[in-house]
Coordinates of all heavy atoms in Angstrom, one line a residue:
M660 N 140.7 -63.6 -2.7 CA 141.0 -63.4 -1.3 C 140.8 -64.7 -0.5 O 139.7 -65.2 -0.6 CB 140.2 -62.3 -0.8 CG 140.5 -61.8 0.6 SD 142.0 -61.0 0.9 CE 142.0 -59.7 -0.4
N661 N 141.7 -65.1 0.2 CA 141.5 -66.4 1.0 C 140.9 -66.1 2.3 O 141.0 -65.0 2.9 CB 142.8 -67.2 1.1 CG 143.9 -66.4 1.9 OD1 143.6 -65.5 2.6 ND2 145.1 -66.8 1.7
T662 N 140.3 -67.1 2.9 CA 139.6 -67.0 4.1 C 140.5 -66.7 5.3 O 140.2 -66.0 6.2 CB 138.8 -68.4 4.4 OG1 138.0 -68.6 3.3 CG2 137.9 -68.2 5.6
R663 N 141.7 -67.3 5.3 CA 142.7 -67.0 6.4 C 143.0 -65.6 6.5 O 143.0 -65.0 7.6 CB 143.9 -67.9 6.1 CG 145.0 -67.7 7.2 CD 146.2 -68.6 6.9 NE 147.3 -68.2 7.7 CZ 147.5 -68.6 8.9 NH1 146.7 -69.5 9.5 NH2 148.6 -68.3 9.6
H664 N 143.2 -64.9 5.4 CA 143.6 -63.5 5.4 C 142.4 -62.7 5.9 O 142.6 -61.8 6.7 CB 143.9 -63.0 3.9 CG 144.2 -61.6 3.9 ND1 145.4 -61.0 4.3 CD2 143.5 -60.5 3.4 CE1 145.3 -59.7 4.2 NE2 144.2 -59.4 3.6
L665 N 141.2 -63.0 5.5 CA 140.0 -62.3 6.0 C 139.8 -62.5 7.5 O 139.4 -61.6 8.2 CB 138.8 -62.7 5.2 CG 138.7 -62.1 3.8 CD1 137.4 -62.7 3.1 CD2 138.7 -60.6 3.7
N666 N 140.1 -63.7 7.9 CA 139.9 -63.9 9.4 C 141.0 -63.1 10.2 O 140.6 -62.6 11.3 CB 140.1 -65.4 9.7 CG 138.9 -66.2 9.3 OD1 137.8 -65.7 9.2 ND2 139.1 -67.5 9.0
I667 N 142.2 -63.0 9.7 CA 143.2 -62.2 10.3 C 142.7 -60.7 10.4 O 142.9 -60.0 11.4 CB 144.6 -62.3 9.7 CG1 145.1 -63.7 9.9 CG2 145.5 -61.3 10.2 CD1 146.3 -64.1 9.1
V668 N 142.2 -60.2 9.2 CA 141.7 -58.8 9.2 C 140.6 -58.7 10.2 O 140.5 -57.6 10.8 CB 141.3 -58.5 7.7 CG1 140.6 -57.1 7.7 CG2 142.5 -58.4 6.8
L669 N 139.7 -59.6 10.3 CA 138.6 -59.5 11.2 C 139.1 -59.5 12.6 O 138.6 -58.6 13.4 CB 137.6 -60.7 11.0 CG 136.4 -60.8 12.0 CD1 135.5 -59.6 11.7 CD2 135.7 -62.1 11.8
V670 N 140.1 -60.2 13.0 CA 140.6 -60.2 14.3 C 141.3 -58.8 14.6 O 141.1 -58.3 15.7 CB 141.6 -61.3 14.6 CG1 142.4 -61.2 15.8 CG2 140.9 -62.7 14.6
V671 N 142.0 -58.3 13.6 CA 142.6 -56.9 13.8 C 141.5 -55.9 14.0 O 141.6 -55.0 14.8 CB 143.5 -56.6 12.6 CG1 143.9 -55.1 12.6 CG2 144.7 -57.5 12.5
L672 N 140.4 -56.0 13.2 CA 139.3 -55.0 13.3 C 138.6 -55.2 14.7 O 138.3 -54.1 15.3 CB 138.2 -55.3 12.3 CG 138.6 -54.9 10.9 CD1 137.6 -55.3 9.8 CD2 138.8 -53.4 10.8
L673 N 138.4 -56.4 15.2 CA 137.9 -56.6 16.5 C 138.8 -56.0 17.6 O 138.3 -55.4 18.6 CB 137.6 -58.0 16.8 CG 136.4 -58.6 16.0 CD1 136.4 -60.1 16.1 CD2 135.1 -58.0 16.3
A674 N 140.1 -56.2 17.5 CA 141.0 -55.7 18.5 C 141.0 -54.2 18.4 O 141.1 -53.5 19.5 CB 142.4 -56.3 18.2
A675 N 141.0 -53.6 17.3 CA 140.9 -52.1 17.2 C 139.6 -51.6 17.8 O 139.7 -50.5 18.4 CB 141.0 -51.7 15.7
T676 N 138.5 -52.3 17.6 CA 137.3 -51.9 18.3 C 137.4 -51.9 19.8 O 136.9 -51.0 20.5 CB 136.1 -52.8 17.8 OG1 136.0 -52.7 16.3 CG2 134.8 -52.4 18.4
V677 N 138.0 -53.0 20.3 CA 138.2 -53.1 21.7 C 139.1 -52.0 22.2 O 138.9 -51.4 23.3 CB 138.7 -54.5 22.1 CG1 139.2 -54.5 23.6 CG2 137.7 -55.6 21.8
A678 N 140.1 -51.7 21.5 CA 141.1 -50.6 21.9 C 140.3 -49.2 21.9 O 140.5 -48.5 22.9 CB 142.2 -50.5 20.9
T679 N 139.5 -48.9 20.9 CA 138.8 -47.7 21.0 C 137.8 -47.6 22.1 O 137.6 -46.6 22.8 CB 138.0 -47.4 19.7 OG1 137.1 -48.5 19.4 CG2 139.0 -47.2 18.5
F680 N 137.2 -48.8 22.4 CA 136.2 -48.8 23.5 C 137.0 -48.6 24.9 O 136.5 -47.8 25.7 CB 135.6 -50.2 23.6 CG 134.7 -50.4 24.8 CD1 133.4 -49.9 24.8 CD2 135.1 -51.2 25.9 CE1 132.6 -50.0 25.9 CE2 134.3 -51.4 26.9 CZ 133.0 -50.8 27.0
E681 N 138.1 -49.2 25.0 CA 138.9 -49.0 26.2 C 139.4 -47.6 26.4 O 139.4 -47.0 27.5 CB 140.1 -49.9 26.2 CG 139.8 -51.4 26.6 CD 139.2 -51.5 27.9 OE1 139.7 -50.9 28.9 OE2 138.2 -52.3 28.0
I682 N 139.8 -46.9 25.3 CA 140.2 -45.5 25.4 C 139.0 -44.7 25.9 O 139.1 -43.8 26.8 CB 140.7 -45.0 24.0 CG1 142.0 -45.6 23.7 CG2 140.8 -43.4 24.1 CD1 142.5 -45.3 22.3
G683 N 137.8 -44.9 25.4 CA 136.6 -44.2 25.8 C 136.2 -44.5 27.3 O 135.9 -43.6 28.1
E684 N 136.3 -45.8 27.7 CA 135.9 -46.2 29.0 C 136.9 -45.7 30.1 O 136.5 -45.4 31.2 CB 135.8 -47.7 29.1 CG 134.5 -48.3 28.5 CD 133.3 -47.8 29.2 OE1 133.2 -47.9 30.5 OE2 132.4 -47.3 28.6
R685 N 138.1 -45.6 29.7 CA 139.1 -45.1 30.7 C 139.1 -43.5 30.7 O 139.9 -43.0 31.5 CB 140.5 -45.6 30.4 CG 140.6 -47.1 30.5 CD 141.9 -47.6 30.2 NE 142.0 -49.1 30.1 CZ 142.2 -49.9 31.2 NH1 142.4 -49.3 32.4 NH2 142.2 -51.2 31.0
G686 N 138.2 -42.9 30.0 CA 138.1 -41.5 30.1 C 139.2 -40.7 29.3 O 139.6 -39.6 29.6
G687 N 139.7 -41.4 28.2 CA 140.8 -40.8 27.4 C 140.3 -39.5 26.8 O 139.2 -39.4 26.2
A688 N 141.1 -38.4 27.0 CA 140.7 -37.1 26.4 C 142.0 -36.4 26.0 O 143.1 -36.8 26.4 CB 140.0 -36.3 27.5
G689 N 141.9 -35.4 25.3 CA 143.0 -34.6 24.9 C 143.5 -35.0 23.5 O 142.9 -35.8 22.8
T690 N 144.6 -34.4 23.1 CA 145.2 -34.5 21.8 C 145.6 -36.0 21.5 O 145.4 -36.5 20.4 CB 146.3 -33.6 21.6 OG1 145.8 -32.2 21.9 CG2 146.8 -33.6 20.2
A691 N 146.3 -36.6 22.5 CA 146.8 -38.0 22.3 C 145.6 -39.0 22.1 O 145.7 -39.8 21.2 CB 147.6 -38.4 23.5
A692 N 144.6 -38.8 22.9 CA 143.5 -39.7 22.7 C 142.8 -39.5 21.3 O 142.4 -40.5 20.7 CB 142.5 -39.5 23.8
M693 N 142.6 -38.2 20.9 CA 142.0 -38.0 19.7 C 142.8 -38.5 18.5 O 142.3 -39.1 17.6 CB 141.8 -36.5 19.5 CG 141.0 -36.0 18.3 SD 141.8 -36.0 16.7 CE 143.2 -35.0 16.9
A694 N 144.1 -38.3 18.6 CA 145.0 -38.8 17.5 C 145.0 -40.4 17.5 O 144.9 -40.9 16.4 CB 146.4 -38.4 17.8
A695 N 145.0 -41.0 18.6 CA 144.9 -42.5 18.7 C 143.6 -43.0 18.1 O 143.5 -43.9 17.2 CB 145.0 -43.0 20.1
L696 N 142.5 -42.4 18.5 CA 141.2 -42.8 18.0 C 141.0 -42.5 16.5 O 140.5 -43.4 15.7 CB 140.1 -42.0 18.7 CG 139.9 -42.4 20.2 CD1 138.9 -41.5 20.9 CD2 139.4 -43.9 20.3
L697 N 141.5 -41.4 16.0 CA 141.5 -41.1 14.6 C 142.3 -42.0 13.8 O 142.0 -42.5 12.7 CB 141.8 -39.7 14.3 CG 141.4 -39.0 13.0 CD1 139.9 -39.1 12.9 CD2 141.8 -37.5 13.0
T698 N 143.5 -42.4 14.3 CA 144.4 -43.3 13.6 C 143.8 -44.7 13.5 O 143.8 -45.3 12.4 CB 145.8 -43.4 14.3 OG1 146.3 -42.0 14.3 CG2 146.7 -44.3 13.6
I699 N 143.2 -45.2 14.6 CA 142.6 -46.5 14.6 C 141.4 -46.5 13.7 O 141.2 -47.5 12.9 CB 142.2 -46.8 16.1 CG1 143.4 -47.1 17.0 CG2 141.3 -48.1 16.1 CD1 143.1 -47.2 18.4
S700 N 140.6 -45.4 13.7 CA 139.5 -45.4 12.8 C 139.9 -45.4 11.3 O 139.3 -46.1 10.5 CB 138.7 -44.1 13.0 OG 138.1 -44.1 14.3
F701 N 141.0 -44.7 11.0 CA 141.5 -44.7 9.6 C 142.0 -46.1 9.2 O 141.7 -46.6 8.1 CB 142.6 -43.7 9.4 CG 143.1 -43.6 8.0 CD1 142.5 -42.9 7.1 CD2 144.3 -44.3 7.7 CE1 142.9 -42.9 5.8 CE2 144.7 -44.3 6.4 CZ 144.1 -43.6 5.4
I702 N 142.7 -46.7 10.1 CA 143.2 -48.1 9.8 C 142.0 -49.1 9.6 O 142.0 -49.9 8.7 CB 144.1 -48.6 10.9 CG1 145.4 -47.8 10.8 CG2 144.4 -50.1 10.8 CD1 146.3 -48.0 12.0
K703 N 141.0 -49.0 10.5 CA 139.8 -49.8 10.3 C 139.1 -49.6 9.0 O 138.7 -50.5 8.3 CB 138.9 -49.6 11.5 CG 139.3 -50.2 12.8 CD 138.4 -49.8 14.0 CE 137.0 -50.4 13.8 NZ 136.2 -50.1 15.0
G704 N 138.9 -48.3 8.7 CA 138.3 -48.0 7.4 C 139.1 -48.5 6.2 O 138.5 -49.0 5.2
R705 N 140.4 -48.4 6.3 CA 141.2 -48.9 5.2 C 141.1 -50.4 5.0 O 141.0 -50.9 3.9 CB 142.7 -48.5 5.5 CG 143.6 -48.8 4.3 CD 145.1 -48.4 4.7 NE 146.0 -48.7 3.6 CZ 146.5 -49.9 3.4 NH1 146.2 -50.9 4.3 NH2 147.3 -50.1 2.4
L706 N 141.1 -51.1 6.1 CA 141.0 -52.5 6.1 C 139.6 -52.9 5.5 O 139.5 -53.9 4.7 CB 141.2 -53.2 7.5 CG 142.6 -53.2 8.0 CD1 142.6 -53.6 9.4 CD2 143.5 -54.0 7.1
V707 N 138.6 -52.2 5.9 CA 137.2 -52.5 5.4 C 137.2 -52.3 3.9 O 136.7 -53.1 3.1 CB 136.1 -51.7 6.1 CG1 134.8 -51.8 5.4 CG2 136.0 -52.2 7.5
V708 N 137.7 -51.1 3.4 CA 137.7 -50.8 2.0 C 138.5 -51.8 1.2 O 138.0 -52.3 0.2 CB 138.2 -49.4 1.8 CG1 138.5 -49.1 0.3 CG2 137.2 -48.3 2.3
L709 N 139.7 -52.1 1.6 CA 140.5 -53.0 0.8 C 140.2 -54.4 0.9 O 140.2 -55.1 -0.1 CB 142.0 -52.8 1.2 CG 142.6 -51.4 1.0 CD1 144.0 -51.4 1.5 CD2 142.5 -51.1 -0.5
D710 N 139.8 -54.9 2.1 CA 139.6 -56.4 2.2 C 138.1 -56.8 2.1 O 137.8 -57.7 1.4 CB 140.2 -56.9 3.5 CG 141.8 -56.7 3.4 OD1 142.3 -57.1 2.4 OD2 142.3 -56.2 4.4
F711 N 137.3 -56.1 2.9 CA 135.9 -56.6 2.9 C 135.1 -56.1 1.8 O 134.1 -56.7 1.3 CB 135.2 -56.2 4.3 CG 135.7 -57.1 5.4 CD1 136.6 -56.7 6.3 CD2 135.2 -58.4 5.5 CE1 137.1 -57.5 7.3 CE2 135.6 -59.2 6.5 CZ 136.6 -58.8 7.4
M712 N 135.5 -54.9 1.2 CA 134.8 -54.5 0.0 C 135.5 -55.0 -1.3 O 135.0 -54.9 -2.4 CB 134.8 -52.9 -0.1 CG 133.9 -52.3 1.0 SD 134.0 -50.5 1.0 CE 133.1 -50.1 -0.5
G713 N 136.6 -55.7 -1.1 CA 137.3 -56.4 -2.2 C 138.0 -55.4 -3.1 O 138.1 -55.8 -4.3
L714 N 138.5 -54.3 -2.7 CA 139.1 -53.3 -3.6 C 140.6 -53.4 -3.6 O 141.3 -52.6 -4.3 CB 138.7 -51.9 -3.2 CG 137.2 -51.6 -3.4 CD1 136.9 -50.2 -3.0 CD2 136.8 -51.9 -4.8
R715 N 141.2 -54.4 -3.0 CA 142.7 -54.6 -2.9 C 143.2 -54.9 -4.3 O 144.3 -54.4 -4.6 CB 143.1 -55.6 -1.9 CG 144.6 -55.7 -1.7 CD 144.9 -56.6 -0.6 NE 144.5 -56.2 0.7 CZ 145.2 -55.3 1.5 NH1 146.3 -54.8 1.1 NH2 144.7 -55.0 2.7
G716 N 142.5 -55.6 -5.1 CA 143.1 -56.0 -6.4 C 142.5 -55.2 -7.6 O 142.7 -55.7 -8.7
V717 N 141.8 -54.2 -7.4 CA 141.2 -53.5 -8.5 C 142.1 -52.3 -8.9 O 143.1 -52.0 -8.3 CB 139.7 -53.0 -8.2 CG1 138.9 -54.2 -7.9 CG2 139.7 -52.0 -7.0
K718 N 141.6 -51.6 -9.9 CA 142.4 -50.4 -10.5 C 142.5 -49.4 -9.4 O 141.7 -49.2 -8.5 CB 141.7 -49.8 -11.7 CG 141.7 -50.8 -12.9 CD 141.2 -50.1 -14.1 CE 141.3 -51.1 -15.2 NZ 140.8 -50.5 -16.5
F719 N 143.6 -48.6 -9.5 CA 143.9 -47.6 -8.5 C 142.8 -46.5 -8.4 O 142.6 -46.0 -7.3 CB 145.2 -46.9 -8.9 CG 145.5 -45.7 -8.0 CD1 146.0 -46.0 -6.7 CD2 145.4 -44.4 -8.4 CE1 146.3 -44.9 -5.8 CE2 145.6 -43.4 -7.5 CZ 146.1 -43.6 -6.2
F720 N 142.1 -46.2 -9.5 CA 141.0 -45.2 -9.4 C 140.0 -45.5 -8.3 O 139.7 -44.6 -7.5 CB 140.3 -45.1 -10.7 CG 139.1 -44.2 -10.7 CD1 139.3 -42.8 -10.7 CD2 137.8 -44.7 -10.6 CE1 138.3 -41.9 -10.7 CE2 136.8 -43.8 -10.6 CZ 137.0 -42.4 -10.6
W721 N 139.5 -46.7 -8.2 CA 138.5 -47.0 -7.2 C 139.1 -47.1 -5.8 O 138.5 -46.6 -4.9 CB 137.8 -48.3 -7.5 CG 137.0 -48.2 -8.8 CD1 137.3 -48.8 -10.0 CD2 135.9 -47.4 -9.0 NE1 136.4 -48.4 -10.9 CE2 135.5 -47.5 -10.3 CE3 135.1 -46.6 -8.2 CZ2 134.4 -46.9 -10.9 CZ3 134.0 -46.0 -8.7 CH2 133.6 -46.1 -10.0
R722 N 140.3 -47.7 -5.6 CA 140.9 -47.6 -4.3 C 141.2 -46.2 -3.9 O 141.0 -45.8 -2.8 CB 142.2 -48.4 -4.4 CG 142.1 -49.9 -4.4 CD 143.4 -50.6 -4.1 NE 144.5 -49.9 -4.8 CZ 145.1 -50.3 -5.9 NH1 144.8 -51.5 -6.4 NH2 146.1 -49.7 -6.4
G723 N 141.8 -45.4 -4.8 CA 142.1 -44.1 -4.5 C 140.9 -43.2 -4.2 O 141.0 -42.3 -3.3
L724 N 139.8 -43.5 -4.9 CA 138.6 -42.7 -4.6 C 138.1 -42.9 -3.2 O 137.9 -42.0 -2.4 CB 137.5 -43.1 -5.6 CG 136.2 -42.3 -5.6 CD1 136.5 -40.8 -6.0 CD2 135.2 -42.9 -6.5
L725 N 138.0 -44.2 -2.8 CA 137.5 -44.4 -1.5 C 138.5 -44.1 -0.4 O 138.1 -43.6 0.7 CB 137.0 -45.9 -1.4 CG 135.7 -46.2 -2.1 CD1 135.4 -47.7 -2.1 CD2 134.6 -45.4 -1.5
L726 N 139.8 -44.4 -0.6 CA 140.8 -44.1 0.4 C 141.0 -42.6 0.5 O 141.2 -42.1 1.6 CB 142.1 -44.9 0.1 CG 142.0 -46.4 0.3 CD1 143.3 -47.0 -0.1 CD2 141.6 -46.8 1.7
G727 N 140.9 -41.9 -0.6 CA 141.0 -40.5 -0.6 C 139.8 -39.9 0.2 O 140.0 -38.9 1.0
W728 N 138.6 -40.4 0.0 CA 137.4 -39.9 0.8 C 137.7 -40.1 2.3 O 137.4 -39.3 3.1 CB 136.2 -40.6 0.3 CG 135.0 -40.4 1.2 CD1 134.2 -39.3 1.2 CD2 134.5 -41.2 2.3 NE1 133.2 -39.4 2.1 CE2 133.4 -40.6 2.8 CE3 134.9 -42.4 2.8 CZ2 132.7 -41.1 3.9 CZ3 134.2 -43.0 3.9 CH2 133.1 -42.3 4.4
L729 N 138.2 -41.3 2.6 CA 138.5 -41.6 4.0 C 139.5 -40.7 4.6 O 139.4 -40.2 5.7 CB 138.9 -43.1 4.1 CG 139.2 -43.7 5.5 CD1 137.9 -43.6 6.3 CD2 139.7 -45.1 5.4
L730 N 140.6 -40.4 3.8 CA 141.6 -39.5 4.3 C 141.0 -38.1 4.4 O 141.4 -37.4 5.4 CB 142.8 -39.5 3.3 CG 144.0 -38.6 3.6 CD1 144.6 -39.1 5.0 CD2 145.0 -38.7 2.5
L731 N 140.2 -37.6 3.5 CA 139.6 -36.3 3.6 C 138.7 -36.2 4.8 O 138.8 -35.2 5.6 CB 138.7 -36.1 2.3 CG 137.9 -34.7 2.3 CD1 138.9 -33.6 2.3 CD2 136.9 -34.7 1.2
V732 N 137.9 -37.1 5.1 CA 137.0 -37.1 6.3 C 137.9 -37.1 7.6 O 137.6 -36.3 8.5 CB 136.0 -38.3 6.3 CG1 135.3 -38.4 7.6 CG2 135.0 -38.1 5.2
S733 N 138.9 -37.9 7.6 CA 139.8 -38.0 8.8 C 140.5 -36.6 9.0 O 140.6 -36.1 10.1 CB 140.8 -39.1 8.6 OG 140.2 -40.3 8.6
T734 N 141.0 -36.0 7.9 CA 141.6 -34.7 8.0 C 140.7 -33.7 8.4 O 141.1 -32.8 9.3 CB 142.2 -34.4 6.6 OG1 143.1 -35.4 6.2 CG2 143.0 -33.1 6.6
L735 N 139.5 -33.6 7.9 CA 138.5 -32.6 8.4 C 138.1 -32.8 9.8 O 138.0 -31.8 10.5 CB 137.2 -32.7 7.5 CG 137.4 -32.3 6.0 CD1 136.1 -32.5 5.3 CD2 137.8 -30.8 6.0
I736 N 138.1 -34.0 10.3 CA 137.8 -34.2 11.7 C 139.0 -33.7 12.6 O 138.8 -33.0 13.6 CB 137.5 -35.7 12.0 CG1 136.2 -36.1 11.4 CG2 137.5 -36.0 13.5 CD1 135.9 -37.6 11.5
A737 N 140.2 -34.0 12.1 CA 141.4 -33.5 12.9 C 141.4 -32.0 12.8 O 141.7 -31.4 13.9 CB 142.6 -34.1 12.3
V738 N 141.2 -31.4 11.7 CA 141.2 -29.9 11.6 C 140.1 -29.3 12.5 O 140.4 -28.3 13.2 CB 141.0 -29.4 10.1 CG1 140.8 -27.9 10.1 CG2 142.3 -29.8 9.3
A739 N 138.9 -29.8 12.5 CA 137.9 -29.3 13.4 C 138.3 -29.4 14.9 O 138.0 -28.6 15.7 CB 136.6 -30.1 13.1
Y740 N 139.0 -30.5 15.2 CA 139.4 -30.7 16.6 C 140.5 -29.6 16.9 O 140.4 -29.0 18.0 CB 140.0 -32.1 16.8 CG 140.5 -32.3 18.2 CD1 139.7 -32.5 19.3 CD2 141.9 -32.2 18.5 CE1 140.2 -32.7 20.5 CE2 142.4 -32.3 19.7 CZ 141.5 -32.5 20.8 OH 142.0 -32.7 22.0
W741 N 141.4 -29.4 16.1 CA 142.5 -28.5 16.3 C 142.0 -27.0 16.4 O 142.4 -26.3 17.2 CB 143.6 -28.5 15.3 CG 144.4 -29.8 15.3 CD1 144.4 -30.9 14.5 CD2 145.3 -30.1 16.4 NE1 145.2 -31.8 14.9 CE2 145.8 -31.4 16.1 CE3 145.8 -29.5 17.5 CZ2 146.8 -32.1 16.9 CZ3 146.8 -30.1 18.3 CH2 147.2 -31.4 18.0
I742 N 141.0 -26.7 15.6 CA 140.4 -25.4 15.6 C 139.6 -25.2 17.0 O 139.6 -24.1 17.5 CB 139.4 -25.2 14.4 CG1 140.2 -25.1 13.2 CG2 138.5 -24.0 14.6 CD1 139.4 -25.0 11.9
S743 N 139.0 -26.2 17.5 CA 138.2 -26.1 18.7 C 139.1 -26.0 20.0 O 138.6 -25.7 21.1 CB 137.3 -27.3 18.9 OG 138.0 -28.5 19.1
I744 N 140.4 -26.3 19.9 CA 141.3 -26.2 21.1 C 141.4 -24.7 21.4 O 141.9 -23.9 20.6 CB 142.6 -26.9 20.8 CG1 142.4 -28.4 20.6 CG2 143.6 -26.6 22.0 CD1 143.7 -29.1 20.2
P745 N 141.1 -24.4 22.7 CA 141.3 -23.0 23.1 C 142.7 -22.5 23.2 O 143.6 -23.2 23.4 CB 140.6 -22.9 24.4 CG 140.4 -24.3 24.9 CD 140.6 -25.2 23.8

């Protein structure tokens, strides 16, 4: 993994963090805000797993295991949100 790629990923992660902060500070609520926050969180998690943990070039089992866990947690959060809507 080259340094330039990791720097680009870091900038994307920082921009995503600023975006989630802005959604919260502007009082974002409702289904659209939840979907945006969950999507941004999934993308951030995927970038961390693949690039900063160095799993981009390893066997599918390890990538699939961690990305599957991330997908499962994101799905459970979304289901819990949808269930709580009156």
Side-chain angles (χ1 to χ4, degrees):
M660 185 70 48
N661 62 22
T662 306
R663 179 178 166 88
H664 178 74
L665 288 177
N666 286 336
I667 291 170
V668 170
L669 179 62
V670 169
V671 170
L672 289 171
L673 290 172
T676 301
V677 168
T679 57
F680 176 78
E681 284 299 317
I682 291 171
E684 281 297 308
R685 295 182 189 271
T690 306
M693 187 281 304
L696 292 171
L697 201 54
T698 302
I699 292 170
S700 297
F701 181 81
I702 292 169
K703 286 174 64 176
R705 184 179 181 278
L706 288 173
V707 168
V708 166
L709 294 179
D710 295 312
F711 285 101
M712 292 177 70
L714 295 180
R715 189 173 291 277
V717 300
K718 293 185 179 183
F719 175 75
F720 174 76
W721 294 109
R722 283 190 325 250
L724 185 68
L725 287 174
L726 292 176
W728 171 81
L729 185 60
L730 183 61
L731 175 67
V732 170
S733 298
T734 302
L735 290 174
I736 291 171
V738 167
Y740 177 81
W741 289 107
I742 289 172
S743 70
I744 295 176

